[in-house]
Amino acid sequence: MGSLKSLECEYPIIDSDFQNFCASHGIFSVEDILIHDLYMLVAFAEQQSTSERLKQGITQILSIIDGQHQPWLNGMELLEDAQQNKQVLSTGCEGIDMLLQGGLCVGHLTELVGPSSSGKTQICLKVASGVATRYMGGVVFIDTGNSFSPYALHISSIRSQILSLKSQILCHSVFDIFAMLDVVHQLEYSLRSQVQTGADQVRLLIVDSISSLITPILGGSGSHGRALMISAGFLLKKLAHEHNLAVVVTNHMVGGEGGILKPALGESWKSIPHVRLLLSRDPGSSICHMSILKHSYMASGRAARFMI
């Protein structure tokens, strides 16, 4: 659905005045409308001199959303659909695949949470090389910390394999949320073109790490940073669902109450990923532990131990 500005030509009611009103409340896209408190938005609109026109604009956007959503399903129907139609991509790590009953869910956003040096980037590199070789699928790796290296991939040292992987794994180095959104929008356009031309399919998108891009915009008392974070999360989920991708993001840990570590990005982000996996590593060892914090159709608390 995209930005509000992109709707202006087709829907004149969504004019610059309406867009400026929405922008003053941290709303720049249709996705932002979905996560906003509509009652509060209408209340703010009623305080303006053009209240009727603003309310008509809100109604128009809700009508657009209602006309494009898929038929509603109840919880049991969603669960049944997920179990019957699930596709998975092997991670290349037997322990993780056993924990996740086959691997990463296609169409889902999976978050890998863990403290520094717990192995998040190593797992991302291993998954990237595994998908590129096992499924001959394209991989887009968004690197926010210069951690990506073709020679750190878990592959054999045969030169032809290295060259093949380098051609199938496309790495983008980005250092702020806006650059990441540009890459994701470009990928979305490219994926639509793939469907039309039958080109090789991208199977996996990795963002390592998403928290390093979002944390800098969350400071202050305004809601813009939070809205941008949630909008980015929903865009990644939309990309996964509409183009049958597995999307993996990494998140670091921060100190919580009593000094206990907890995932960064707060409660607002917590509900966005379909799957949340907690990763830890034995000090000075290659042995890792992974547990399920959240999953669409698996019980939380399941855990596995493996080596990387």
Side-chain angles (χ1 to χ4, degrees):
M1 288 180 275
S3 67
L4 296 182
K5 187 171 181 60
S6 67
L7 300 174
E8 185 174 359
C9 291
E10 189 174 354
Y11 304 98
I13 193 72
I14 306 175
D15 56 15
S16 58
D17 289 337
F18 180 78
Q19 293 169 40
N20 290 334
F21 166 73
C22 289
S24 69
H25 296 282
I27 298 171
F28 302 90
S29 67
V30 176
E31 287 83 357
D32 292 340
I33 288 278
L34 288 169
I35 62 172
H36 207 85
D37 186 330
L38 292 179
Y39 292 105
M40 290 296 295
L41 190 63
V42 170
F44 284 125
E46 288 176 343
Q47 297 172 15
Q48 308 299 313
S49 59
T50 56
S51 61
E52 288 305 314
R53 188 168 179 80
L54 292 175
K55 287 191 288 185
Q56 287 173 18
I58 295 171
T59 302
Q60 178 65 75
I61 290 180
L62 294 178
S63 177
I64 295 169
I65 294 168
D66 192 54
Q68 293 192 15
H69 74 67
Q70 297 180 348
W72 298 113
L73 299 175
N74 63 35
M76 289 302 296
E77 289 170 333
L78 285 170
L79 178 60
E80 183 179 352
D81 178 71
Q83 292 175 328
Q84 289 182 352
N85 301 306
K86 67 176 181 179
Q87 293 177 294
V88 294
L89 297 178
S90 171
T91 64
C93 176
E94 185 178 354
I96 298 176
D97 286 351
M98 289 183 64
L99 174 67
L100 300 179
Q101 297 181 1
L104 299 172
C105 294
V106 172
H108 280 191
L109 171 60
T110 298
E111 179 188 24
L112 188 58
V113 181
S116 176
S117 301
S118 59
K120 299 187 296 295
T121 295
Q122 284 177 272
I123 288 176
C124 287
L125 292 170
K126 187 173 180 66
V127 172
S129 64
V131 169
T133 54
R134 184 188 297 260
Y135 301 99
M136 298 303 292
V139 176
V140 176
F141 197 114
I142 297 179
D143 176 20
T144 70
N146 284 328
S147 58
F148 180 86
S149 167
Y151 302 100
L153 295 170
H154 290 248
I155 59 173
S156 69
S157 59
I158 300 175
R159 182 175 176 79
S160 62
Q161 286 183 306
I162 294 175
L163 294 175
S164 174
L165 279 176
K166 288 175 70 175
S167 69
Q168 288 187 264
I169 301 176
L170 179 61
C171 179
H172 296 271
S173 294
V174 304
F175 303 104
D176 63 65
I177 187 66
F178 303 103
M180 188 205 82
L181 290 173
D182 283 343
V183 170
V184 173
H185 282 300
Q186 290 170 18
L187 175 59
E188 186 175 23
Y189 177 80
S190 175
L191 290 169
R192 290 200 186 104
S193 300
Q194 285 180 8
V195 172
Q196 295 170 358
T197 63
D200 290 340
Q201 184 181 8
V202 172
R203 305 294 301 273
L204 174 67
L205 169 63
I206 295 173
V207 184
D208 181 32
S209 80
I210 196 159
S211 53
S212 67
L213 301 178
I214 292 176
T215 300
I217 65 172
L218 292 180
S221 58
S223 61
H224 176 66
R226 175 181 170 276
L228 195 57
M229 173 184 74
I230 296 175
S231 183
F234 277 107
L235 178 59
L236 292 173
K237 291 174 75 172
K238 174 174 175 279
L239 204 65
H241 175 72
E242 292 185 354
H243 298 283
N244 292 318
L245 301 181
V247 177
V248 177
V249 300
T250 64
N251 187 3
H252 67 277
M253 307 282 279
V254 295
E257 188 175 347
I260 299 174
L261 290 177
K262 64 178 183 179
L265 304 183
E267 293 297 313
S268 298
W269 172 262
K270 182 179 177 180
S271 62
I272 292 176
H274 298 96
V275 179
R276 298 192 98 191
L277 305 173
L278 177 63
L279 181 68
S280 61
R281 189 173 188 169
D282 291 346
S285 168
S286 59
I287 297 175
C288 292
H289 303 264
M290 180 178 285
S291 60
I292 297 175
L293 296 178
K294 171 187 173 185
H295 201 287
S296 299
Y297 51 84
M298 278 190 248
S300 60
R302 286 167 51 93
R305 187 171 179 265
F306 54 90
M307 293 183 66
I308 58 172

